Amino acid sequence: MENRSFVTAGDGTRIAYRIDGAADKPVLVLSNSIATTFHMWDGQIDALSKHFRVVRYDLRGHGGSGIPAGAYSLDRLGRDVIELLDALHIEKAHFLGLSLGGFIGQWLGIHAPERIDRLVLANTSPYLGPASYFDERIAEVLQARDMSDTAAMFLANWFPAHMLEARGVVVEEFRAMLLGMDKQGLAGSFAAVRDSDLRRTVALISRPTLVIAGRDDKVTLPGHSELIAAAIPGSKLAILPAVHLSNVECPVEFVDLVREFLGAR
């Protein structure tokens, strides 16, 4: 049986999580990309758990977490994190979010700064539009026979061609995650991205922030990271030679950036 535990969010949805690292270390919460589980961080856990008590969780609609019907909101996804921290009696934590996890990180930085120590926003954006694009994706997902076309689309957006062509272990693990994704969970999460626009409010983030971009990211373009970094006072920007999952494609460089920024060198 996989090593994971559960808390119940305020609306009754079960949230799956896992903790690695010693209890006396500073807490680092990791938040995933859409359509992945907390296993998207597997390659970084050994390095990070030497310095941190690492808390990973599955977003609602993903992995071992509950799959409520209907559209999800960024507000609800953010409160899932706060309620997880409350249940674990964690007053304040570092937070690292990638892609949709980075949207959640921005929301936390804006709405719950007292719960965040340092913030890392990777391969994310304050806004991904237009809404019609996400309405089309939601309709496609809900009508599709299975997740195979959706998986192919995501993989093409996440990894460079040479990794996809090689069909190595890592890419196939992400393919399996995508094929196992629940349609309603993905549709609900697409709605959260569709309805989020943080372009003005991101400037309210006051916590020390590191923004990590992928030079070749086709989803959350490097320019999106530059906008976030320009808006948040005193933030740092790093650009890695990666597409969208920079933690997977550049694992050593990614972890080095995170550890240095969080003061664990």
Side-chain angles (χ1 to χ4, degrees), residues 125-188:
S125 175
Y127 171 76
L128 286 175
S132 58
Y133 170 84
F134 289 101
D135 287 334
E136 289 166 15
R137 297 294 83 73
I138 289 166
E140 286 171 3
V141 165
L142 292 177
Q143 291 161 15
R145 189 178 75 254
D146 57 32
M147 289 292 289
S148 52
D149 289 345
T150 301
M153 176 197 78
F154 272 111
L155 291 172
N157 284 334
W158 286 353
F159 295 110
H162 70 87
M163 283 183 75
L164 295 174
E165 287 156 12
R167 290 184 75 106
V169 172
V170 169
V171 170
E172 293 312 302
E173 285 173 349
F174 278 89
R175 190 188 308 278
M177 268 186 235
L178 284 157
L179 292 174
M181 179 78 201
D182 184 273
K183 289 180 183 182
Q184 169 53 51
L186 183 54

Side-chain angles (χ1 to χ4, degrees), residues 62-163:
H62 293 68
S65 290
I67 305 162
Y72 307 161
S73 69
L74 186 58
D75 180 73
R76 183 62 258 178
L77 296 177
R79 283 187 290 136
D80 287 346
V81 177
I82 292 169
E83 288 166 5
L84 174 61
L85 294 176
D86 287 346
L88 297 175
H89 307 291
I90 295 166
E91 284 185 30
K92 188 178 259 196
H94 299 308
F95 187 91
L96 160 55
L98 187 145
S99 194
L100 179 51
F103 270 94
I104 296 167
Q106 292 171 77
W107 187 94
L108 291 165
I110 294 162
H111 295 282
E114 71 283 355
R115 306 305 294 271
I116 301 299
D117 192 347
R118 286 177 166 246
L119 186 60
V120 183
L121 305 172
N123 299 82
T124 194
S125 175
Y127 171 76
L128 286 175
S132 58
Y133 170 84
F134 289 101
D135 287 334
E136 289 166 15
R137 297 294 83 73
I138 289 166
E140 286 171 3
V141 165
L142 292 177
Q143 291 161 15
R145 189 178 75 254
D146 57 32
M147 289 292 289
S148 52
D149 289 345
T150 301
M153 176 197 78
F154 272 111
L155 291 172
N157 284 334
W158 286 353
F159 295 110
H162 70 87
M163 283 183 75

